[in-house]
Amino acid sequence: MDEVDKIRKEINSVDERILEALASRRKLAENIIKAKGHMGAPIRDFMREERLLADLISKGRNQGLDAHLITRVFHEIIDDSIRSQQLHLLDYEKKDLKRVAFQGIEGAYSESAGRKHFAPYLDHTLFNGMDTLEQVVNAVEDGDADYGLLPVENTTAGSINEVYDLLSMAQLSIVGEEVLRVEHCLLALDEVPLADIRRIYSHPQALAECMKFVSKLPNCQALPYADSAMAVKKIRDDKELNHAAIASEEAGRLYGLKVLRRNIEDQQNNFTRFLVLAKKPSTIDVRIPCKTSLIMSTSHEEGALLKALSLLHEYKINLSKLESRPIPNMPFQYLFYIDFEGNMAEARVAEAIEKLRSATTSLKVLGSYPTEHRTRTSPRIEILAGSPPEADAEAPVPAAQKKEKVSYKLASREHKPDDTIISVRGVKIGGPGFVVIAGPCAVESREQIHKCARYVRECGGQLLRGGCFKPRTSPYSFQGLGFEGLELLAEAGREYDLPIVTEVLSPSDVEPVSRYADVLQIGARNMQNFSLLSEAGRSNRPVLLKRGMMSTIEELLNAAEYILDRGNHQVILCERGIRTFETATRNTLDLGSIPILKRLTHLPILVDPSHAAGKRELVIPLAVAAHAVGPHGLIVEMHPEPEKALSDGPQSLHFSEFADLMRRIYKS
Ligand code: PEP
Ligand code: MN
């Protein structure tokens, strides 16, 4: 015990040193912004951030630390540094007491967003809950509050129309935004079984975000209430055992309710964006990355909106949101709400807005404010894969020489000459880049998938694969862990910040699997399962379509056409070997198909050397050969203990072999 106490003491003192280091780093960041003075250099220097990460990763690795850990920790540190430098340049700081109006009562999500936003000033900030959103606006207009907080959109349930309508009427400016990750809980007086709950109260927006969860509860009514925290208070006061509320865990704690279930939102990545309003617009230092919001209307004639938007394009202004709302009492005429990246204090933006005035029938600038959307600099894969950076991109693909009559249209280069680039949570598949997707054939346990995810991340792999529904040749083989496995895969993906790829076997699984998976895989055995292709075509997830083992290139492209034709344009093709007379390999990897496919189609193409080889020792040579013929990436199987794998063990790489593969790919 003495020994444990001693170690704990040492840990405490290390933690204190970490704190001291963080505090002095923050101080230095503040000094930097003072030293930069009026030089006008932007707060962020992406090149420096990239170099810093590369250096820290290589030093950290020498001390046995994971690149992923270093990246995660330094993302937070860099973000804090940006925030504290911004604070120095903001108006907020100079004001004394801040009175902030929000809709709801203590414990409401709006209040949490306010606390997050005004975190540096909490000791001189007063929060004042109002019954309605309109009262929040009025309080700021009448000078009863300095700032008002309005939720404007949610990533699951969409825009909050009332707020957009209020913005058009209010005499206020937007001076800030806040983004809050919203994790809903089902809260009740006591731990009653879910099946006993008869009524659920919450704000309509929160109910909408948990619609799927609520609709599965038998004989249960969802009832709108003014605010989520008020619903919690109502449950406490009514003392009805079979009533529940949807709100934050914090609201539950505040009013003494029990959590029946956490994370009941329909989408795991559920964020609400809030606007901070004030009476006067603020002028934001141009070094701070900003957004600007405006409301405009255009004349009711052909091309008017396009003309206005092209103006922004002309000034290289990037739109982050476009929303339309009907103009009251003017049927079928609309106000357009636009958010873009830029600051009115920049001459370029001011000029664009001036031009926009003459291209619109009305224009109201709502304000420029620091953006909460801060991209995170990622370490280069070359650094992770342990090789020097390489700058040269792949040579462009020559267009088809002669026209060929083909039975697919949307998949053809003729229809779309430019490469399709599919972005999966920021990872780009297609075009000049090269991605590696790796993971086990099947998810087998939490430990197994976490180990794989960690190692994939460490070596620079960009996506995590793992089958949960396995199409096995024999019905007696391991069939996968199903949704339980999917939850483990999603958890590992979240933990190591890797988008996940998993196979769907049946049309009815497409929708539920899409809730977790970033990419849906359609396996070789299902390449011509047309009802599955159609269903995947109706989903909004990218689809990784594997070539059937008895299929021609043309049949593969026609299978892709089914998905494209149903409206999903995000298809990734995959060559994984075809069946020939040869039995020395599991399949014959048709590398010739890669340059042919690149000529025929704009879709990204991957190679799966694992299923082609069937034998571990062939995977690296095939991967290296595949890389040379120019696909957009690889998908490979690896396992912490391939000898014990429940499926495809013989072809799964050991971790050290995977590291070797990554080095060879990114070094070449
Ligand atoms: C897999 O990726 O695990 C798989 C079953 O692949 P294929 O459909 O190519 O056999
Ligand atoms: Mn497999």
Side-chain angles (χ1 to χ4, degrees):
M1 203 55 200
D2 267 359
E3 184 60 14
V4 172
D5 278 347
K6 206 173 126 228
I7 300 174
R8 282 195 176 138
K9 254 196 186 142
E10 278 177 41
I11 289 182
N12 291 351
S13 90
V14 170
D15 287 346
E16 270 168 38
R17 292 209 306 276
I18 293 176
L19 282 183
E20 279 163 22
L22 284 175
S24 49
R25 199 190 188 285
R26 187 189 267 186
K27 240 273 86 56
L28 290 169
E30 289 165 5
N31 290 345
I32 284 247
I33 198 72
K34 284 183 203 146
K36 280 184 187 167
H38 301 292
M39 286 187 323
I43 289 183
R44 293 198 74 172
D45 177 345
F46 292 98
M47 300 279 274
R48 174 170 152 74
E49 286 177 22
E50 203 178 281
R51 280 197 306 271
L52 179 77
L53 271 181
D55 193 39
L56 289 165
I57 286 170
S58 84
K59 286 185 179 143
R61 274 182 164 172
N62 288 339
Q63 303 192 46
L65 294 172
D66 290 6
H68 181 57
L69 173 73
I70 297 166
T71 309
R72 234 160 64 168
V73 168
F74 278 86
H75 274 161
E76 292 304 328
I77 292 176
I78 292 170
D79 202 56
D80 179 70
S81 159
I82 297 164
R83 265 185 182 254
S84 56
Q85 291 189 51
Q86 277 186 193
L87 274 179
H88 265 264
L89 301 174
L90 284 178
D91 267 1
Y92 275 172
E93 211 193 17
K94 292 148 204 153
K95 299 213 173 82
D96 300 332
L97 179 70
K98 290 171 179 55
R99 296 161 306 161
V100 180
F102 67 95
Q103 191 252 319
I105 58 171
E106 197 184 353
Y109 288 109
S110 292
E111 194 214 24
S112 309
R115 290 194 168 277
K116 185 170 171 224
H117 192 76
F118 292 97
Y121 326 104
L122 282 184
D123 57 344
H124 51 283
T125 302
L126 288 178
F127 290 93
N128 197 355
M130 309 263 153
D131 288 342
T132 65
L133 294 168
E134 194 175 359
Q135 283 170 4
V136 173
V137 170
N138 293 342
V140 186
E141 277 180 341
D142 299 344
D144 296 331
D146 303 301
Y147 300 101
L149 213 76
L150 298 182
V152 68
E153 59 178 315
N154 171 269
T155 52
T156 307
S159 289
I160 298 158
N161 291 336
E162 188 188 346
V163 170
Y164 276 98
D165 294 344
L166 282 170
L167 282 175
S168 75
M169 310 296 284
Q171 300 297 313
L172 297 177
S173 293
I174 304 177
V175 297
E177 68 171 352
E178 192 52 67
V179 176
L180 188 74
R181 173 153 190 184
V182 176
E183 294 175 285
H184 292 301
C185 293
L186 188 69
L187 303 155
L189 276 182
D190 214 336
E191 275 155 13
V192 283
L194 287 190
D196 291 356
I197 299 295
R198 292 288 164 269
R199 286 187 184 181
I200 295 180
Y201 294 91
S202 195
H203 189 279
Q205 188 74 18
L207 292 174
E209 290 163 28
C210 305
M211 200 160 56
K212 289 199 178 107
F213 171 82
V214 174
S215 66
K216 281 199 194 120
L217 298 179
N219 308 318
C220 181
Q221 251 185 316
L223 297 161
Y225 212 66
D227 157 59
S228 60
M230 284 186 205
V232 173
K233 202 157 160 249
K234 175 180 169 56
I235 302 298
R236 182 196 65 183
D237 297 343
D238 287 358
K239 303 204 166 28
E240 293 280 355
L241 267 174
N242 55 0
H243 290 185
I246 293 177
S248 67
E249 186 157 2
E250 194 191 327
R253 215 176 6 249
L254 214 57
Y255 299 98
L257 293 196
K258 297 259 168 22
V259 177
L260 298 189
R261 183 70 78 85
R262 282 188 181 76
N263 288 103
I264 57 170
E265 56 277 6
D266 295 337
Q267 288 178 20
Q268 292 173 355
N269 287 315
N270 187 38
F271 293 92
T272 299
R273 178 174 165 240
F274 294 82
L275 297 175
V276 184
L277 302 181
K279 227 169 169 171
K280 291 214 176 70
S282 50
T283 308
I284 311 285
D285 192 293
V286 291
R287 285 168 283 181
I288 299 179
C290 273
K291 258 189 205 164
T292 296
S293 296
L294 51 87
I295 308 178
M296 64 179 204
S297 55
T298 55
S299 60
H300 202 35
E301 59 193 50
E302 197 192 318
L305 176 63
L306 180 67
K307 224 182 261 171
L309 294 180
S310 324
L311 261 172
L312 295 178
H313 174 59
E314 221 174 89
Y315 281 86
K316 298 200 166 21
I317 285 175
N318 192 21
L319 282 199
S320 51
K321 184 156 199 227
L322 173 62
E323 177 82 32
S324 66
R325 289 285 304 148
I327 303 178
N329 288 318
M330 296 175 81
F332 305 109
Q333 297 211 28
Y334 301 91
L335 280 178
F336 298 105
Y337 291 75
I338 291 180
D339 292 345
F340 60 77
E341 290 166 12
N343 182 345
M344 279 191 305
E346 288 171 65
R348 168 185 72 108
V349 175
E351 205 179 308
I353 288 178
E354 267 328 295
K355 284 246 174 102
L356 206 54
R357 284 192 202 283
S358 49
T360 50
T361 48
S362 73
L363 181 94
K364 177 177 169 187
V365 178
L366 295 170
S368 291
Y369 48 93
T371 174
E372 268 309 296
H373 182 79
R374 287 188 288 275
T375 46
R376 302 193 141 183
T377 305
S378 302
R380 298 175 63 126
I381 306 169
E382 291 82 347
I383 301 291
L384 296 175
S387 52
E390 278 213 346
D392 288 347
E394 210 180 291
V397 188
Q401 305 288 308
K402 63 175 177 34
K403 285 200 174 116
E404 289 168 37
K405 190 90 199 100
V406 292
S407 51
Y408 47 88
K409 175 175 169 264
L410 302 174
S412 70
R413 274 255 182 231
E414 229 164 49
H415 170 73
K416 182 172 180 283
D418 293 337
D419 277 6
T420 287
I421 300 179
I422 296 170
S423 175
V424 187
R425 287 210 272 128
V427 178
K428 293 197 165 50
I429 306 180
F434 191 88
V435 296
V436 172
I437 303 174
C441 178
V443 176
E444 296 169 6
S445 68
R446 170 177 275 123
E447 192 193 352
Q448 174 240 24
I449 193 65
H450 275 253
K451 274 188 178 163
C452 289
R454 174 175 171 266
Y455 208 73
V456 169
R457 179 88 215 179
E458 280 307 299
C459 295
Q462 290 119 304
L463 288 95
L464 177 68
R465 64 151 288 152
C468 302
F469 301 90
K470 296 304 301 175
R472 302 305 298 278
T473 305
S474 158
Y476 307 118
S477 304
F478 174 60
Q479 305 285 311
L481 294 182
F483 285 102
E484 196 188 315
L486 195 49
E487 283 191 14
L488 297 176
L489 179 66
E491 181 189 278
R494 265 198 311 278
E495 177 70 22
Y496 291 96
D497 201 13
L498 291 166
I500 56 171
V501 183
T502 201
E503 180 162 355
V504 264
L505 288 186
S506 78
S508 61
D509 281 349
V510 168
E511 195 274 330
V513 171
S514 303
R515 259 184 258 158
Y516 297 89
D518 299 291
V519 177
L520 302 173
Q521 176 173 319
I522 294 186
R525 289 157 194 80
N526 268 320
M527 192 203 84
Q528 285 186 319
N529 178 340
F530 297 111
S531 55
L532 181 60
L533 294 172
S534 295
E535 199 53 39
R538 279 187 276 270
S539 113
N540 56 12
R541 289 279 182 259
V543 179
L544 195 165
L545 177 65
K546 293 188 136 190
R547 179 178 177 183
M549 54 193 110
M550 309 289 272
S551 304
T552 63
I553 293 173
E554 187 168 356
E555 284 163 344
L556 171 63
L557 289 168
N558 274 296
E561 191 78 4
Y562 267 87
I563 304 171
L564 299 168
D565 179 58
R566 298 295 183 269
N568 186 348
H569 296 172
Q570 307 190 84
V571 179
I572 303 157
L573 305 174
C574 179
E575 163 61 43
R576 44 78 73 203
I578 48 175
R579 187 164 282 182
T580 65
F581 54 81
E582 182 55 73
T583 53
T585 46
R586 183 174 174 182
N587 291 286
T588 300
L589 185 59
D590 181 12
L591 284 183
S593 70
I594 305 304
I596 296 174
L597 280 165
K598 283 183 80 176
R599 182 165 53 79
L600 296 176
T601 181
H602 50 87
L603 297 171
I605 303 144
L606 305 181
V607 172
D608 174 348
S610 306
H611 290 87
K615 293 186 179 117
R616 184 174 313 125
E617 63 274 20
L618 298 179
V619 173
I620 294 184
L622 287 183
V624 172
H627 181 240
V629 296
H632 301 99
L634 297 175
I635 175 165
V636 284
E637 290 184 342
M638 42 95 84
H639 194 284
E641 289 174 288
E643 294 72 17
K644 295 192 186 152
L646 298 180
S647 78
D648 285 350
Q651 71 197 33
S652 299
L653 297 179
H654 290 109
F655 283 7
S656 58
E657 291 165 322
F658 176 65
D660 190 29
L661 179 146
M662 291 299 282
R663 258 193 306 271
R664 299 196 37 191
I665 293 296
Y666 287 96
K667 226 164 69 177
S668 61

